Amino acid sequence: MFRHTKLLQCEAKPDGPDAVLARKIQELIGGAWGEMTVATQYLFQGWNCRIEGKYKDLIMDTATEEIGHVEMLATMVARLLENAPATDVAHAVTDPAVAATMGGMDVQQAIVGGGGAQLRDSNGVPWSGAYMVASGNLLADFRTNVAAESQGRLQTARIYNMTDDPGVKEMLKFNLARDTVHQKQWMRAIEELKADGIEGDIVPDDLLDVEDQVHNNTIWQLSDGGSGPSGGWSHGENAIDYLTDPEPLGGPGTAPKPDPELYASYAGGQNALGTAKGKAQQAAEKLR
């Protein structure tokens, strides 16, 4: 059961209209790394979690918070679009959709959203559930969560530097702080999974004795850059061997002959096609 509290987690009041900024903030709502992604990602991770207790509670606490972040950003977008577009060129245009576009507003914010936020990114591309990850493996998911919060904070920081609006900056300061603590909590949770003996370093912590033992500790140098072997990953304890001149292990990647009726080009294709036509003609003659 979810309850909605009619108060924002953080205030979302810009000092004035800014259609261009409203469009940028759409990325933080419906982009691949936006709040809708982490909200649904954490919700499904929590719903799919088989371990009752601290891990599931942490996931669900954060998931529910992220729903509030979507509401906060959507409110900010709507308020930024109030009385927007606010440019001389836009005021000179009578058609509202054209005015919105020339003023920098996402035209769908005007036509579809009626001056409100959309479940889209900053280019108007619809948000997709394919952005979210909920694998059922907590170690794999928590690592994905660290990456999601890192990318989200990176984009928030970039937008923070794109505006001088004090009200927007105050909200973004809060968002930055929450993205910081969420990165920290998932990294700590990863260590706790290991300490509790639930997961190891490798996902999944299985079939390690079955996998190819020759190739589970080598890095193949396959680019022109030659500095890879100087990294700490190839020195000291638990070093990974760097193969500076790896050889291919398989033969040519030649595809097999296709079904003649698919008409794919290949050597000797005419003969094969002719044979297929001949068989079809023979079959037709038998039916007469």
Side-chain angles (χ1 to χ4, degrees):
M1 181 174 70
F2 287 85
R3 293 182 182 273
H4 177 249
T5 300
K6 293 185 179 180
L7 296 171
L8 296 176
Q9 187 179 4
C10 176
E11 193 53 85
K13 288 185 177 179
D15 280 25
D18 189 335
V20 176
L21 182 58
R23 182 170 183 171
K24 293 174 182 176
I25 290 178
Q26 282 288 157
E27 194 66 34
L28 303 183
I29 296 175
W33 302 107
E35 300 289 359
M36 268 300 299
T37 296
V38 290
T40 53
Q41 179 161 300
Y42 300 161
L43 283 172
F44 277 90
Q45 288 178 7
W47 292 330
N48 293 339
C49 182
R50 269 70 170 182
I51 305 175
E52 294 293 336
K54 60 185 179 181
Y55 293 113
K56 185 165 187 171
D57 290 350
L58 174 66
I59 299 169
M60 292 304 299
D61 286 340
T62 313
T64 309
E65 176 184 351
E66 298 293 4
I67 298 174
H69 290 183
V70 177
E71 180 183 31
M72 190 169 63
L73 289 165
T75 301
M76 179 62 82
V77 166
R79 290 172 175 174
L80 284 167
L81 292 175
E82 186 178 1
N83 299 321
T87 63
D88 292 338
V89 64
H91 284 310
V93 180
T94 57
D95 183 273
V98 177
T101 304
M102 295 183 68
M105 183 193 301
D106 179 352
V107 69
Q108 292 214 0
Q109 290 175 334
I111 297 174
V112 181
Q118 294 283 289
L119 189 49
R120 302 170 184 272
D121 66 15
S122 54
N123 282 327
V125 178
W127 179 82
S128 170
Y131 296 151
M132 51 151 282
V133 175
S135 71
N137 182 286
L138 291 183
L139 179 57
D141 285 350
F142 288 176
R143 285 176 173 169
T144 302
N145 296 352
V146 174
E149 295 288 350
S150 301
Q151 294 289 345
R153 192 176 191 280
L154 175 62
Q155 293 182 356
T156 301
R158 287 170 173 167
I159 292 178
Y160 180 86
N161 289 325
M162 293 177 183
T163 180
D164 294 323
D165 187 302
V168 176
K169 278 185 172 288
E170 280 304 308
M171 184 198 71
L172 293 179
K173 287 179 183 178
F174 177 82
N175 289 18
L176 289 167
R178 300 311 296 166
D179 288 345
T180 294
V181 73
H182 290 163
Q183 288 184 54
K184 292 193 291 186
Q185 76 180 40
W186 296 127
M187 288 189 286
R188 291 287 297 272
I190 288 170
E191 295 307 313
E192 190 137 344
L193 282 172
K194 298 176 185 178
D196 288 345
I198 297 174
E199 297 290 346
D201 288 325
I202 305 300
V203 179
D205 192 10
D206 189 27
L207 303 178
L208 296 175
D209 57 337
V210 174
E211 67 188 20
D212 191 318
Q213 301 300 306
V214 175
H215 298 286
N216 64 1
N217 199 53
T218 58
I219 300 173
W220 289 25
Q221 183 176 320
L222 295 172
S223 70
D224 290 338
S227 300
S230 65
W233 44 82
S234 59
H235 299 281
E237 187 178 0
N238 299 321
I240 303 174
D241 295 332
Y242 223 109
L243 300 184
T244 56
D245 190 22
E247 294 291 334
L249 303 176
T254 304
K257 292 182 179 180
D259 183 330
E261 294 186 3
L262 296 180
Y263 308 110
S265 301
Y266 67 97
Q270 290 297 322
N271 292 334
L273 187 58
T275 301
K277 287 181 177 178
K279 289 181 178 179
Q281 291 173 352
Q282 291 175 8
E285 290 174 357
K286 289 181 180 180
L287 294 176
R288 291 176 185 155

